[in-house]
Amino acid sequence: MKIFTAEQIRSWDHFTISHEPVSSIQLMERASMAAAHWISEHCKNHKKLAVFCGNGNNGGDGLAVARILYLKGFDVDVFIGDSKRKFSEDALVNLKRLRDLSGISVRKYDHSEHYNFDDKTIIIDALFGTGLSRPLVGEYKELVEQLNARKNIKISIDVPSGLSADEIFDNDPVILKSDYTLTFQCWKRTFLHPETGKYTGKVEVLDIDLSKTYADTTDAEYFIIDDQLIESVFKPRQEFSHKGSYGKAAIIGGSYGKIGAAVLATQSALKTGAGLTFTLAPECGYEILQTSCPEAMFIAGGKQFVTSLEVDKDFICGIGPGLGTHSETEKSFLSFLKNYRSPLVLDADALNIISKKSENLKLIPKKSIITPHPKEFERLFGSTENSFKRLDLAREKAKEHRIYIVLKDHHTQVITPEGNVFYNITGNAGLAKGGSGDILTGILTSLLAQGYSEEETCILGVWFHGRSADLASEKYSKESMLPTDVIGEFGNVFEELNTKVAKSL
């Protein structure tokens, strides 16, 4: 799914209106019907609604939603701003339609004593949509502060009021904190970053049948990793195949006291389908690895820590889990990089070693995949003001070094050498545990060994990692799930993928 800017979304609306053709008020009705249907289906135990509407088209959506839900049997109160202010043309039409109904009260929201509804009333936020270009001020700021102070369930139409679709506002702006955001047709970038996404609650993308031609022919730089993309990338196992068909994966890592990281990465590589899996680790981890990962072959690379990185040329290497940063490890790793030209998967201590000197970045082979969390990214490339600036810097560095950056976050971002960004929306806070990154390294190394392209590896890998975590959290909770529980769900995710692909044939 492409992520369009607010300006592109407006163009999408206009394109749909002119090419379908459909009038703007009919398109507004279509969007309002979709939002009202979702609310009526998911809020059956809450019959009272307080709908707050602005003067623009987002307010028009809210006025139409209020009318539709009233006709469905909800008890609806509507609050608007000063009626002397100019409403958009379509919002004015919907205001008139609403006032033609006798059972809905329409009041101004200029005084807090008007808000005498109880805590079971659902607040519908339709104050501002994607057209907002600056932080809230004056009465709108005060209103949102008042609504945020209430315990009511809050549902925003398209975007939470006060939130830009594309950027982060400076100086700690006031934004409505929603429990649900019913957005139209596509995700907005601000829903996917920690500083701004915390305001959206659960995001529901509602299809309002905007022009498919526009979506297909309009360029974008940002994308959502959705089911359709995953089904196009995933390659089911072929019946007439053998272990040589699925490559050789080598996990290089481990050191005294950190062998568990190498174990997790190795188990992950095995369970994601590599034809042959090897682990290069120090001798102190031999018994642990051979016992916990009997299907993998062991290569000794030192005694207490790795001091020698010697692998066959046809291996696909994932380097870093538990590797440590001992001086001899650092020396052997950098020497390895100087003489290795194939794409690698680099994580954890491999990145920490590289980050010690800026010139080390030039040693990373082209088309390699690096998987930093925010602190590792900062050590590699420098600090930034926020996650939006960090992503801008990641795009710059991916282009400069011709590498793929998997920037780990709540919504992990895959950045390609061309500067495209793919946001992952699977996964949960249960992955906020040591070992989760080691699993991802194993997945990526295995997929790359099986012949997926670097871009396909990143896209499928982060989605697969997150989806497995979602299944694990359902069984064990986000608090109690372990990285090994995530690995235990790999088979179930492959079953889902194979079933989806089979149905689409």
Side-chain angles (χ1 to χ4, degrees):
M1 177 190 292
K2 294 177 180 178
I3 301 175
F4 289 131
T5 64
E7 183 178 348
Q8 286 176 314
I9 291 169
R10 284 191 290 274
S11 297
W12 200 359
D13 286 343
H14 295 318
F15 187 94
T16 303
I17 289 167
S18 61
H19 286 74
E20 189 168 337
V22 61
S23 69
S24 60
I25 190 66
Q26 288 172 328
L27 189 58
M28 180 177 285
E29 188 75 2
R30 190 187 294 177
S32 303
M33 286 288 289
H37 176 75
W38 189 95
I39 294 168
S40 65
E41 287 297 308
H42 293 83
C43 304
K44 294 178 180 178
N45 296 326
H46 300 264
K47 284 297 180 182
K48 295 186 69 176
L49 306 174
V51 185
F52 289 81
C53 302
N55 291 38
N57 281 348
N58 189 252
D61 291 333
L63 294 166
V65 166
R67 166 174 46 83
I68 295 164
L69 290 174
Y70 171 74
L71 294 174
K72 287 179 176 285
F74 284 83
D75 183 2
V76 181
D77 286 329
V78 175
F79 298 87
I80 62 173
D82 188 344
S83 58
K84 294 179 181 178
R85 291 181 180 172
K86 186 177 180 180
F87 282 78
S88 72
E89 185 177 335
D90 290 340
L92 199 59
V93 170
N94 272 313
L95 180 61
K96 183 180 183 305
R97 288 177 178 176
L98 193 68
R99 282 179 164 159
D100 286 343
L101 299 174
S102 59
I104 299 181
S105 66
V106 179
R107 291 177 277 173
K108 291 197 296 184
Y109 45 65
D110 54 346
H111 296 296
S112 61
E113 59 264 24
H114 286 176
Y115 314 138
N116 57 0
F117 45 79
D118 60 33
D119 288 346
K120 292 185 178 180
T121 299
I122 291 179
I123 293 173
I124 307 296
D125 160 38
L127 293 170
F128 292 96
T130 57
L132 187 69
S133 59
R134 60 183 183 274
L136 298 180
V137 295
E139 67 173 347
Y140 291 112
K141 179 181 178 181
E142 293 175 9
L143 172 60
V144 169
E145 288 175 332
Q146 291 170 6
L147 296 181
N148 279 342
R150 300 189 66 104
K151 297 179 180 179
N152 304 69
I153 293 173
K154 303 175 187 69
I155 301 175
S156 287
I157 305 298
D158 209 13
V159 298
S161 290
L163 183 65
S164 165
D166 304 321
E167 61 182 334
I168 183 171
F169 290 138
D170 295 330
N171 302 322
D172 195 24
V174 171
I175 300 169
L176 190 108
K177 197 168 192 321
S178 303
D179 296 286
Y180 299 90
T181 296
L182 309 182
T183 199
F184 300 128
Q185 209 65 49
C186 71
W187 285 74
K188 282 65 179 176
R189 280 191 66 209
T190 49
F191 296 178
L192 298 155
H193 286 257
E195 300 93 339
T196 48
K198 63 185 179 182
Y199 294 103
T200 65
K202 182 173 174 53
V203 175
E204 298 287 343
V205 180
L206 305 181
D207 186 353
I208 59 171
D209 203 24
L210 294 181
S211 170
K212 188 174 184 301
T213 300
Y214 180 92
D216 290 342
T217 58
T218 301
D219 291 335
E221 296 178 326
Y222 302 94
F223 304 83
I224 291 291
I225 301 175
D226 57 11
D227 288 352
Q228 184 178 2
L229 178 56
I230 290 300
E231 288 171 29
S232 71
V233 168
F234 176 62
K235 302 169 186 175
R237 205 91 164 170
Q238 296 301 308
E239 294 298 331
F240 291 93
S241 60
H242 51 82
K243 63 186 178 183
S245 304
Y246 300 104
K248 298 178 182 179
I251 300 299
I252 301 174
S255 55
Y256 185 81
K258 297 181 181 179
I259 297 300
V263 169
L264 290 172
T266 302
Q267 290 178 339
S268 183
L270 287 165
K271 290 282 284 185
T272 40
L276 290 170
T277 301
F278 299 79
T279 308
L280 191 155
E283 292 176 10
C284 65
Y286 172 75
E287 291 183 358
I288 297 170
L289 281 156
Q290 288 284 267
T291 301
S292 58
C293 311
E295 301 89 349
M297 287 165 276
F298 183 86
I299 302 172
K303 293 189 178 296
Q304 299 293 308
F305 42 82
V306 172
T307 58
S308 174
L309 283 74
E310 295 184 9
V311 295
D312 292 344
K313 291 183 178 180
D314 58 348
F315 284 12
I316 297 297
C317 300
I319 308 176
L323 184 67
T325 58
H326 191 279
S327 60
E328 290 188 46
T329 301
E330 178 180 339
K331 181 179 178 181
S332 61
F333 172 56
L334 293 177
S335 176
F336 172 85
L337 286 183
K338 289 174 184 176
N339 297 289
Y340 197 85
R341 296 293 178 264
S342 298
L344 299 164
V345 179
L346 300 174
D347 183 36
D349 286 328
L351 300 179
N352 291 330
I353 291 172
I354 290 171
S355 69
K356 290 184 178 183
K357 294 182 179 179
S358 59
E359 57 263 32
N360 290 340
L361 288 165
K362 298 177 182 178
L363 299 177
I364 300 175
K366 300 295 185 287
K367 302 179 75 175
S368 287
I369 300 167
I370 69 170
T371 63
H373 58 56
K375 280 295 181 184
E376 289 167 342
F377 181 86
E378 182 177 322
R379 287 193 286 269
L380 285 166
F381 302 116
S383 61
T384 55
E385 297 174 30
N386 53 58
S387 67
F388 288 83
K389 297 291 186 183
R390 184 171 65 227
L391 181 55
D392 290 341
L393 180 58
R395 295 181 70 199
E396 176 187 323
K397 294 302 180 181
K399 291 178 182 179
E400 178 184 346
H401 297 288
R402 305 305 298 168
I403 58 175
Y404 292 83
I405 301 177
V406 175
L407 187 51
K408 292 183 285 196
D409 209 332
H410 178 62
H411 293 301
T412 290
Q413 299 123 52
V414 172
I415 303 100
T416 73
E418 296 75 32
N420 292 326
V421 177
F422 294 85
Y423 288 90
N424 184 48
I425 55 174
T426 61
N428 58 76
L431 286 171
K433 291 186 175 77
S436 297
D438 304 319
I439 292 173
L440 179 59
T441 298
I443 294 171
L444 296 173
T445 306
S446 177
L447 294 177
L448 198 58
Q450 291 173 63
Y452 286 93
S453 71
E454 290 79 14
E455 183 171 307
E456 291 170 339
T457 291
C458 294
I459 290 169
L460 179 57
V462 298
W463 179 92
F464 188 95
H465 184 241
R467 179 59 186 149
S468 300
D470 288 338
L471 294 182
S473 72
E474 291 173 9
K475 288 186 179 180
Y476 305 106
S477 81
K478 296 172 185 176
E479 293 79 7
S480 291
M481 61 182 271
L482 297 172
T484 47
D485 297 325
V486 178
I487 295 173
E489 296 300 326
F490 285 6
N492 292 323
V493 177
F494 276 123
E495 282 295 315
E496 286 183 355
L497 284 172
N498 280 293
T499 299
K500 288 178 179 178
V501 171
K503 285 181 179 179
S504 66
L505 295 177

